[in-house]
């Protein structure tokens, strides 16, 4: 009898319906619950991506071949767009790391009125669209702006400025979270021993901030790599990134296989960098 009860408990027991007969309650299998959301994700995300990959192997002449990849990789426009995308993304990331670290230090450790408001504004700033920041910069560096005569925003440096301005809060936010966990006793002990502020930052604060810097920098690098709105709104001449090249081939040239090839390359780079971001974030505890 004990063995029977034990088996019934393992199988979920039984319930007595109104009719009086006993029926066993079996919990739904986990894979049955997971099927609907997985199917929805596959339909919304995987299927369109699969169509892009499929189109990248179908040249306009018909059939299936690697000809679109060979044509795109051999073109000067693709190599220049790839180089432009990489150097702008890396330079923007470095700028965001430096500026974000300085701003986070000021907000977290320099007492001034309104520090909490500034920290809250950083959270709000993360919700702003990128084109809004670029539009604001147009009023300063545009053709009719305050310093419009320099035509600064229509150069690669203008794109760099816009991306640093927009993506810096993505570095500040994890840094503020890391600084909030920092033991202030270490800072007080270092200060009481005669350490100067720069030495405290270099020896005490910076080592604790490295994981947050790595996580924020990895995220900014991925976002800058795929940024489209800033480059488009600045109207920078001669600045063609991979997303802009996709737009140009698909919309302006009607070269859909070539556009899909560039898109696939961009996705592969982004996925690789996102994997790096996940690894760094996991080690940083983010």
């Amino acid at each position: 009898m004990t063995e029977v009860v034990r088996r019934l408990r393992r199988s979920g027991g039984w319930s007595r319906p109104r009719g009086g007969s006993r029926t066993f309650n079996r919990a739904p299998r986990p894979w049955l619950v997971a099927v609907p959301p997985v199917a929805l994700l596959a339909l919304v995300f995987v299927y369109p991506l699969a169509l892009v990959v499929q189109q990248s192997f179908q040249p306009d002449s018909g059939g299936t071949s690697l000809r679109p990849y060979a044509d795109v990789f051999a073109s000067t426009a693709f190599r220049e767009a790839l180089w432009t995308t990489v150097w702008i993304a890396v330079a923007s990331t470095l700028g965001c790391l430096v500026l974000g670290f300085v701003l986070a230090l000021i907000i977290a450790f320099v007492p001034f009125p309104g520090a909490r408001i500034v920290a809250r504004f950083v959270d709000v700033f993360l919700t702003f669209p990128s084109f809004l920041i670029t539009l604001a910069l147009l009023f300063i560096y545009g053709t009719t702006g305050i310093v419009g005569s320099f035509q600064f925003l229509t150069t690669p440096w203008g794109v760099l400025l816009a991306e640093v301005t927009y993506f810096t809060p993505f570095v500040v936010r994890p840094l503020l979270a890391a600084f909030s966990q920092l033991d202030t006793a270490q800072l007080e002990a270092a200060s009481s021993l005669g350490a100067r502020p720069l030495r405290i930052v270099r020896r005490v604060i910076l080592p604790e901030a490295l994981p947050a810097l790595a996580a924020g920098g990895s995220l900014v690098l991925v976002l800058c790599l795929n940024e489209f709105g800033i480059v488009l709104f600045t109207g920078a001449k001669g600045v063609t990134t991979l997303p802009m090249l996709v737009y140009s081939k698909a919309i302006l040239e009607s070269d859909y296989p070539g556009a899909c090839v560039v898109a696939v390359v961009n996705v592969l780079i982004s996925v690789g960098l996102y994997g790096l971001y996940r690894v760094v974030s996991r080690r940083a505890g983010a």
Side-chain angles (χ1 to χ4, degrees):
M1 183 63 182
T2 304
E3 184 65 25
V4 173
V5 172
R6 188 177 303 170
R7 291 182 179 179
L8 289 175
R9 289 178 177 175
R10 290 178 181 176
S11 62
W14 64 75
S15 63
R16 185 186 298 274
R18 293 182 179 180
S21 60
R22 294 178 177 178
T23 58
F24 293 100
N25 288 331
R26 295 185 179 272
R29 297 182 179 181
W31 64 270
L32 290 177
V33 180
V35 166
V38 170
L40 179 61
L41 290 175
L43 179 64
V44 175
F45 296 103
V46 179
Y47 179 66
L49 183 60
L51 291 179
V52 172
V53 175
Q54 180 183 3
Q55 184 67 32
S56 68
F57 291 98
Q58 295 178 348
D60 294 331
S61 58
T64 301
S65 69
L66 294 174
R67 182 74 183 189
Y69 283 87
D71 294 340
V72 169
F73 291 163
S75 65
T76 304
F78 171 76
R79 293 193 295 269
E80 291 179 352
L82 180 61
W83 165 246
T84 302
T85 303
V86 170
W87 86 258
I88 288 181
V90 172
S92 299
T93 302
L94 293 176
C96 291
L97 289 175
V98 174
L99 182 59
F101 183 70
V102 174
L103 291 178
L105 280 177
I106 295 174
I107 296 173
F109 299 109
V110 178
F112 65 92
R116 289 187 177 182
I117 297 177
V118 174
R120 297 299 181 188
F121 178 75
V122 170
D123 296 336
V124 176
F125 192 90
L126 297 176
T127 64
F128 291 169
S130 59
F131 70 86
L132 180 62
I133 305 302
T134 309
L135 184 62
L137 291 176
L138 284 174
F139 288 104
I140 302 177
Y141 302 103
T143 55
T144 59
I146 301 174
V147 291
S149 58
F150 294 100
Q151 297 293 318
F152 175 75
L153 203 60
T154 58
T155 66
W157 302 108
V159 176
L160 185 63
L161 172 65
E163 291 193 356
V164 170
T165 302
Y166 179 70
F167 290 113
T168 294
F170 290 85
V171 176
V172 175
R173 183 65 267 173
L175 281 175
L176 291 178
F179 290 160
S180 64
Q181 304 296 325
L182 185 63
D183 188 6
T184 56
Q186 301 180 14
L187 305 179
E188 295 174 357
S191 179
S192 63
L193 293 175
R196 295 183 178 181
L198 290 179
R199 186 178 181 86
I200 295 176
V201 171
R202 187 175 66 254
R203 293 296 184 89
V204 180
I205 298 178
L206 184 58
E208 297 292 334
L210 285 179
L213 279 172
S218 301
L219 177 60
V220 169
L221 184 61
V222 175
L223 295 176
C224 290
L225 186 73
N226 297 283
E227 182 54 41
F228 174 75
I230 289 179
V231 183
L232 181 64
F233 266 75
T234 55
K237 300 177 181 179
V239 180
T240 302
T241 58
L242 290 180
M244 287 294 296
L245 186 61
V246 173
Y247 173 81
S248 176
K249 284 185 172 295
I251 304 303
L252 303 180
E253 303 175 14
S254 297
D255 182 11
Y256 295 106
C260 291
V261 170
V262 179
V264 169
V265 173
N266 200 3
V267 168
L268 291 177
I269 297 175
S270 301
V271 171
L273 290 177
Y274 178 73
L276 175 64
Y277 163 71
R278 292 294 299 174
V279 172
V280 173
S281 299
R282 191 179 299 112
R283 292 183 177 180

